[in-house]
Amino acid sequence: MSAKAPPPLQGVKVIDLTRHMSGPYATVSLGDFGADVIKVEPSKGGDASRSTGVRVQDKISASFLMWNRSKRSIALDLYDEEAKALIRRLAADADVFVENFRPGVIKKMGLDYETLSAINPRLIYVSLSAFGEGPLGPFPGTDPVVQAMSGVMSVTGEADGGPLLVGIPIADFTAAMVTFQGVLLGLLSRATTGRGQKIEISMLHALLSALTTRLASHWATGREPVRNGGAHSVVMPYQAWKTADGYAVAGVWNGGNVMWPRFCKALGVAGLSDEAAYATNELRLQNKAQLEPILADEFRKRTTAEWERRFNQEGVLFSPVNTFSQILSHPHVAQADILASLDHPDLGELPQINPPIRLCDTPGRLDRYPPRLGEHSREILAEAGLSDTEIDTLIDTGVVTTAS
């Protein structure tokens, strides 16, 4: 990156009072593109995700390391009024403040939008919660609860089985990306109006916005969507198939039906594309019970690699169902510069994913490892104008904690 092309969010100061995944993963994206993200953590244990799940070298949560690069950490006793006053002081010249407590909690802390915007009218203030304001607002919710509440679990799983969680934290991830967008929109608006504003985001609302095809079909027909296992809900064929040695996804898309004859040719059943009962996507959906076993029998005759060659030759939608190890070692992932790493002083090299938004002149970059708890407490308070003596006193009284 040249000196003439600083990252797009350079100079943007973010106070990050979020925990777990949805909030921290949103602020990771801000930090990757140059924002100075100050992660405010409770002194005792820090963000709870530091100790949740699998640990790296029995020291710190692997999830925390994924969700908290590109940040600085200050550790405070959040029950102490002096600590809350310090947060207000940090927010006085910040550009963005992000919190993900349940509605009402942040007001009791004296860190609500009305309080902070009175101190800093240019502040972009983001409130992220599981459900937002409303009857569900007071109740706790993380990814599995929101998957269940949103209806996503009701359409995930096999037709004859029970509802299943999506295999990734889809509610957290969706909310994180919507939060990232919200911050950028807030900054863009402020550039025009000169004023900050409050941005409210709920994980439930964000995940409902991702229902797309399932919700469109429900509204069009009035029917409840059902679980389809590995099959697409509105296109046939387009699903996971058992091969001779594994699984693959293959199918057509409904753009003019041009792929159906090519699909049949790749599968070695070219004559099937001429049968009137399967001539259109609508007919194939209607006759799925007859068509699906025919196709499934063919897929079991060859290996996944053989099918990949045949379907790619015909330009038909296809992918092996890869394990994590398989996709991470795939030559495309290497050539597309998707993987990255960071050096951590305690843990060594940490694998990471590069920012997925690729800007040719002002790309994101990974240049700050996930911080130790309170690693930057001193420097952050010094930047806020506190003297060494004042900082020492805050540390001695337990209001502030440092990594040492």
Side-chain angles (χ1 to χ4, degrees):
M1 182 180 297
S2 70
K4 294 182 180 179
L9 296 179
Q10 181 172 301
V12 173
K13 179 179 177 181
V14 179
I15 308 302
D16 178 7
L17 202 63
T18 65
R19 306 82 39 79
H20 308 302
M21 178 183 169
S22 57
Y25 206 62
T27 53
V28 154
S29 298
L30 299 171
D32 286 348
F33 285 95
D36 177 18
V37 179
I38 297 174
K39 184 174 179 66
V40 180
E41 301 186 69
S43 298
K44 295 182 179 180
D47 182 338
S49 68
R50 284 184 179 271
S51 56
T52 302
V54 177
R55 296 188 180 221
V56 176
Q57 300 176 22
D58 293 326
K59 294 179 180 179
I60 188 169
S61 162
S63 297
F64 178 88
L65 298 173
M66 287 290 290
W67 303 337
N68 288 284
R69 65 174 182 258
S70 303
K71 303 177 185 180
R72 298 191 288 166
S73 170
I74 179 171
L76 303 173
D77 178 359
L78 296 179
Y79 293 99
D80 188 276
E81 291 303 318
E82 198 167 1
K84 296 170 189 176
L86 288 173
I87 297 174
R88 289 191 286 271
R89 185 165 179 170
L90 294 174
D93 68 346
D95 298 284
V96 179
F97 184 96
V98 189
E99 59 89 10
N100 67 342
F101 293 93
R102 278 178 279 167
V105 173
I106 202 74
K107 186 174 181 64
K108 293 178 181 178
M109 298 174 69
L111 300 172
D112 53 295
Y113 171 67
E114 289 73 19
T115 299
L116 297 189
S117 64
I119 298 170
N120 179 1
R122 289 178 53 81
L123 186 67
I124 309 299
Y125 187 106
V126 182
S127 286
L128 168 62
S129 63
F131 304 116
E133 298 288 349
L136 296 174
F139 300 108
T142 58
D143 185 273
V145 166
V146 177
Q147 285 198 40
M149 183 64 71
S150 67
V152 165
M153 282 185 67
S154 75
V155 294
T156 305
E158 296 296 336
D160 57 353
L164 298 176
L165 281 173
V166 176
I168 62 170
I170 191 66
D172 276 326
F173 179 80
T174 305
M177 294 301 98
V178 171
T179 300
F180 177 58
Q181 295 169 19
V183 170
L184 297 183
L185 290 171
L187 291 169
L188 186 63
S189 176
R190 191 185 68 175
T192 302
T193 67
R195 300 188 305 274
Q197 62 181 299
K198 185 178 184 180
I199 299 170
E200 296 180 280
I201 294 165
S202 81
M203 294 170 64
L204 176 62
H205 193 163
L207 195 54
L208 282 169
S209 74
L211 294 181
T212 61
T213 54
R214 309 310 298 273
L215 192 56
S217 296
H218 172 65
W219 278 336
T221 66
R223 294 193 296 269
E224 287 290 346
V226 298
R227 291 183 287 280
N228 293 313
H232 199 285
S233 61
V234 296
V235 177
M236 174 63 190
Y238 199 177
Q239 64 193 72
W241 306 96
K242 179 74 176 73
T243 68
D245 63 348
Y247 291 89
V249 166
V252 303
W253 193 246
N254 201 28
N257 211 36
V258 294
M259 275 194 185
W260 171 237
R262 285 154 44 190
F263 177 97
C264 293
K265 181 180 178 182
L267 195 60
V269 288
L272 199 63
S273 64
D274 297 325
E275 295 196 18
Y278 310 132
T280 67
N281 183 62
E282 289 75 17
L283 288 170
R284 291 192 293 273
L285 286 169
Q286 292 173 21
N287 297 304
K288 182 176 180 179
Q290 294 78 40
L291 177 59
E292 187 174 54
I294 297 172
L295 303 180
D297 285 344
E298 294 300 321
F299 272 104
R300 284 190 285 266
K301 294 177 180 178
R302 297 177 186 267
T303 66
T304 302
E306 289 177 293
W307 287 126
E308 185 171 24
R309 287 191 292 271
R310 291 173 67 95
F311 277 81
N312 285 350
Q313 184 176 354
E314 297 299 327
V316 179
L317 294 163
F318 184 93
S319 175
V321 176
N322 287 318
T323 64
F324 281 24
S325 297
Q326 287 170 330
I327 186 56
L328 291 175
S329 62
H330 196 287
H332 178 87
V333 170
Q335 293 177 30
D337 195 28
I338 291 173
L339 300 181
S341 64
L342 284 166
D343 288 326
H344 192 283
D346 300 327
L347 305 171
E349 186 177 7
L350 300 177
Q352 299 279 312
I353 298 289
N354 266 320
I357 301 172
R358 310 299 291 270
L359 303 178
C360 66
D361 290 335
T362 57
R365 59 187 180 188
L366 311 186
D367 58 4
R368 191 185 289 278
Y369 59 80
R372 301 159 168 146
L373 178 61
E375 180 172 354
H376 307 95
S377 294
R378 277 191 173 276
E379 69 180 57
I380 290 168
L381 293 177
E383 291 168 3
L386 278 72
S387 67
D388 289 341
T389 301
E390 290 174 310
I391 296 172
D392 288 338
T393 299
L394 290 167
I395 293 172
D396 292 341
T397 57
V399 176
V400 176
T401 301
T402 64
S404 59

